[in-house]
């Protein structure tokens, strides 16, 4: 609330960040094509600068930032990710390493095709369940 020329004004601001907006299939396709185009040109997708250019060129005015593009690629769209059923040996390794205090990305480094975020979600999914209980999930 504020007072301007004797009139009481109220300003309501709603902030919506790109991380709060669900990605559409069309946006996913644009991002995939843009990343593959840059990779074909010799750029490294692990470098943050690649996504700054993509965000500016393809997502200007949409609220998508370089960070949101990078995270979408890294956690969901990268063709190197494995999206299938979790294997028992993966669950066992996650449980062991998480119990020992390893960070998600360190655990993911031991599981080809799984990202740190995927490992984090999987760990929370089975929590303190025994290996037999995990098999049912």
């Amino acid at each position: 609330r504020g007072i301007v020329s004797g009139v009481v004004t109220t300003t309501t601001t709603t902030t919506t960040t790109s991380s709060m907006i669900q990605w559409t299939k069309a946006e996913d396709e644009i991002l995939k094509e843009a990343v593959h185009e840059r990779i074909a040109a010799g750029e490294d997708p692990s470098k943050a600068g690649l996504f700054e250019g993509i965000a500016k060129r393809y997502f200007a005015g949409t609220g998508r930032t370089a960070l949101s593009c990078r995270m979408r690629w890294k956690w969901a769209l990268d063709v190197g990710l494995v999206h299938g059923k979790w294997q028992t040996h993966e669950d066992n390794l996650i449980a062991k390493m998480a119990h020992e205090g390893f960070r998600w990305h360190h655990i993911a480094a031991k599981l080809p095709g799984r990202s740190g975020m995927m490992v984090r979600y999987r760990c929370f999914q089975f929590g303190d369940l025994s290996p037999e209980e995990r098999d049912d999930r």
Side-chain angles (χ1 to χ4, degrees), residues 7-8 10-11 19 29-30 33 38 40 44 66 73 75 83 88-89 91 101 103-104 109 112 120 127 130:
V7 178
V8 177
T10 303
T11 305
S19 63
E29 289 305 313
I30 291 168
E33 288 178 26
R38 298 289 181 103
D44 184 355
W73 174 258
W75 294 342
H83 293 285
T88 302
H89 75 276
D91 283 344
R103 294 180 180 253
W104 306 124
R120 178 179 181 266
S130 69

Side-chain angles (χ1 to χ4, degrees), residues 15-135:
T15 304
T16 304
T17 63
S18 58
S19 63
M20 300 165 117
I21 303 167
Q22 186 170 356
W23 283 76
T24 66
K25 288 182 182 184
E27 288 176 319
D28 282 348
E29 289 305 313
I30 291 168
L31 182 57
K32 282 187 218 176
E33 288 178 26
V35 171
H36 288 299
E37 182 181 287
R38 298 289 181 103
I39 290 171
E43 293 187 53
D44 184 355
S46 67
K47 302 295 183 199
L50 172 118
F51 294 96
E52 288 174 18
I54 290 173
K56 286 179 184 172
R57 181 173 178 190
Y58 298 99
F59 297 102
T62 66
R64 301 290 183 206
T65 64
L67 179 62
S68 65
C69 290
R70 183 172 184 262
M71 292 299 132
R72 182 66 176 166
W73 174 258
K74 185 177 178 179
W75 294 342
L77 301 177
D78 185 345
V79 294
L81 295 177
V82 174
H83 293 285
K85 183 175 165 84
W86 288 84
Q87 303 298 313
T88 302
H89 75 276
E90 292 176 311
D91 283 344
N92 292 339
L93 182 66
I94 292 169
K96 178 180 182 291
M97 291 183 75
H99 180 73
E100 293 172 359
F102 283 91
R103 294 180 180 253
W104 306 124
H105 66 276
H106 290 136
I107 299 170
K110 303 281 186 188
L111 299 169
R114 303 294 191 179
S115 69
M117 189 58 67
M118 294 168 92
V119 169
R120 178 179 181 266
Y121 287 144
R122 182 62 178 167
C123 190
F124 289 141
Q125 193 174 36
F126 63 70
D128 292 331
L129 298 178
S130 69
E132 295 78 29
E133 292 170 313
R134 280 185 233 142
D135 289 339

